[in-house]
Amino acid sequence: MLKVGIITASDKGARGEREDVSGKTIEAMLSGLGEVRHYVVVPDDQAVLRQAMLHMADELDLEVVFTTGGTGLGPRDVTPEATLSVIQRAVPGIAEAMRARSMEVTSRAMLSRAVAGVRNRTLIVNLPGSPKAVQECLEVVLPVLEHGINILRGRDGECARH
């Protein structure tokens, strides 16, 4: 079981004015693959998001951290900036694959600024804020997630197909 963290970026969610359906969608879709060890709802604030990611990666040593929300063009959408400030290596293929899948559903997917990358031994992946989009994106990511984490953590050394 992968050790997972979930960060929901939502001003209304952080104030208790909106239920976090997207974070719960992530948790439900990870059933059998990962165990959510830490789950927070924070405001759309770059410093707060950054601190939550650092805590999950550096202090809790989680294997993967999913963020949801804050990836669009709105003035408070700062999740990608927070992510870019903490990762050491980008993993652009993840965000590219998610956008490609989402483009099959809506052309608005091209407006996503989601990123993915590695901090130390933790993979951080930005997901959209809507539960439907979270599900679509995770359907792309989950089949390769365990293998990617095993490579990142040194538990597997082969990426080539046999």
Side-chain angles (χ1 to χ4, degrees):
M1 296 284 281
L2 297 175
K3 297 182 297 183
V4 179
I6 298 172
I7 302 170
T8 297
S10 168
D11 288 333
K12 288 182 180 178
R15 290 191 305 261
E17 298 171 4
R18 176 185 293 159
E19 181 185 1
D20 178 27
V21 178
S22 295
K24 291 177 182 169
T25 300
I26 297 168
E27 188 170 24
M29 289 188 72
L30 288 170
S31 178
L33 178 64
E35 177 188 354
V36 176
R37 298 278 183 95
H38 198 65
Y39 182 163
V40 295
V41 179
V42 299
D44 290 291
D45 178 277
Q46 189 171 341
V48 175
L49 284 160
R50 176 183 164 81
Q51 186 54 45
M53 289 180 214
L54 291 173
H55 176 66
M56 290 185 188
D58 297 354
E59 296 171 35
L60 300 179
D61 192 33
L62 301 181
E63 293 168 307
V64 61
V65 173
F66 290 105
T67 70
T68 177
T71 60
L73 299 179
R76 300 276 300 156
D77 292 335
V78 295
T79 304
E81 288 76 18
T83 305
L84 290 169
S85 78
V86 301
I87 63 172
Q88 296 147 332
R89 296 185 293 157
V91 186
I94 292 174
E96 292 165 3
M98 292 188 308
R99 272 188 285 274
R101 166 66 179 105
S102 294
M103 283 291 294
E104 295 172 7
V105 179
T106 176
S107 60
R108 291 180 180 182
M110 71 177 76
L111 301 176
S112 170
R113 299 180 313 107
V115 297
V118 172
R119 177 174 181 82
N120 300 325
R121 297 170 4 120
T122 300
L123 177 65
I124 300 173
V125 179
N126 296 162
L127 295 169
S130 96
K132 182 177 179 292
V134 163
Q135 182 175 349
E136 292 164 1
C137 290
L138 278 180
E139 287 171 354
V140 173
V141 174
L142 291 183
V144 300
L145 183 63
E146 187 173 21
H147 177 68
I149 297 301
N150 285 339
I151 295 290
L152 178 61
R153 292 281 171 140
R155 296 189 292 249
D156 195 350
E158 295 292 323
C159 275
R161 291 185 163 234
H162 299 277

